[in-house]
Amino acid sequence: MGVPAAACDHRGMAPAVPWRIEPLTPARGADYLRFFDHEHGPAFADNPEWRTCYCHFYEVPPALKWGDFDGPANRTAMTARIATGEMEGFLAYDGDEVVGWVNAQPWHKLVHACARMRVAPPPLHVPPHEAAAIVCFVIAPARRRQGIARALLAGAVASFAARGFACVDAFPWNTGPQDAKATDHYHGTLSMFVAAGFAPIATHETLTVVRKSLR
């Protein structure tokens, strides 16, 4: 999958970007784990509190206490999900190095996400396997503010459209100018989604649900 075209320069040509967007597959599982490995990976290098997550949080039923899952447990769970093809999403690469990730999956693979976010699931006009959801972006600290999240979003939307999905939902937090930490924006920003053609469909105390129709 190629990255979306960047803005053109003064000659009308798109400047080269150093990353490419690839779907998570079992063959790329080791790349994913290196990105998230809580001792050495760059994913949460500036956020030690989340280093054990491995982006497993939204897969865990809310009846289970998240604090009971340590780094090795989350790594084992995600290794199994990736190896069996049950985990989807997209990786941003700079050469052979993973520099970003978006958890973007069919709705039926994120059945616990809304409960974890403590909001009601948005109504769907199609079966869950025909709709998708985007719940998490993780960009390496040194590579933030370079457009990687926008490229991941564009790649995910293009992939879902090509696969015939009807719509894709996302859940940006309701943030203000004072919310400047990376942890305030790991769902993506409302402005980024609106610029990509998403529209709000529900507003909750903590977040806004946005949707983009793909058909």
Side-chain angles (χ1 to χ4, degrees), residues 177-203:
Q178 73 283 1
D179 300 311
K181 302 188 299 295
T183 51
D184 296 325
H185 301 290
Y186 76 95
H187 279 200
T189 64
L190 178 59
S191 61
M192 179 181 71
F193 289 113
V194 170
F198 287 72
I201 60 171
T203 301

Side-chain angles (χ1 to χ4, degrees), residues 4-77:
C8 292
D9 64 15
H10 68 282
R11 296 167 298 176
M13 299 177 63
V17 294
W19 53 82
R20 69 183 192 280
I21 308 302
E22 300 285 0
L24 177 63
T25 63
R28 296 188 181 105
D31 295 344
Y32 178 97
L33 294 172
R34 276 194 298 273
F35 182 62
F36 280 100
D37 271 338
H38 67 286
E39 295 294 339
H40 307 289
F44 298 125
D46 61 345
N47 184 16
E49 185 178 353
W50 289 9
R51 282 183 181 174
T52 61
C53 177
Y54 286 87
C55 212
H56 187 215
F57 179 72
Y58 288 123
E59 305 293 348
V60 177
L64 301 178
K65 184 179 178 182
W66 174 245
D68 291 340
F69 290 78
D70 60 9
N74 289 323
R75 193 184 197 279
T76 297

Side-chain angles (χ1 to χ4, degrees), residues 19-203:
W19 53 82
R20 69 183 192 280
I21 308 302
E22 300 285 0
L24 177 63
T25 63
R28 296 188 181 105
D31 295 344
Y32 178 97
L33 294 172
R34 276 194 298 273
F35 182 62
F36 280 100
D37 271 338
H38 67 286
E39 295 294 339
H40 307 289
F44 298 125
D46 61 345
N47 184 16
E49 185 178 353
W50 289 9
R51 282 183 181 174
T52 61
C53 177
Y54 286 87
C55 212
H56 187 215
F57 179 72
Y58 288 123
E59 305 293 348
V60 177
L64 301 178
K65 184 179 178 182
W66 174 245
D68 291 340
F69 290 78
D70 60 9
N74 289 323
R75 193 184 197 279
T76 297
M78 292 302 290
T79 299
R81 290 187 64 82
I82 295 168
T84 58
E86 281 301 305
M87 187 68 193
E88 295 191 34
F90 298 85
L91 296 163
Y93 284 84
D94 182 354
D96 294 328
E97 178 189 6
V98 175
V99 296
W101 155 256
V102 61
N103 186 335
Q105 305 191 66
W107 256 120
H108 71 283
K109 293 187 175 182
L110 285 165
V111 295
H112 305 301
C114 282
R116 282 289 176 188
M117 288 184 275
R118 300 181 180 179
V119 297
L124 295 173
H125 59 285
V126 296
H129 66 274
E130 295 184 22
I134 296 171
V135 295
C136 193
F137 290 84
V138 183
I139 310 299
R143 304 306 299 270
R144 292 176 190 151
R145 300 185 182 277
Q146 298 178 15
I148 295 174
R150 292 192 299 273
L152 283 164
L153 175 60
V157 169
S159 176
F160 289 133
R163 291 164 63 183
F165 281 68
C167 63
V168 56
D169 295 338
F171 305 85
W173 297 117
N174 298 330
T175 57
Q178 73 283 1
D179 300 311
K181 302 188 299 295
T183 51
D184 296 325
H185 301 290
Y186 76 95
H187 279 200
T189 64
L190 178 59
S191 61
M192 179 181 71
F193 289 113
V194 170
F198 287 72
I201 60 171
T203 301

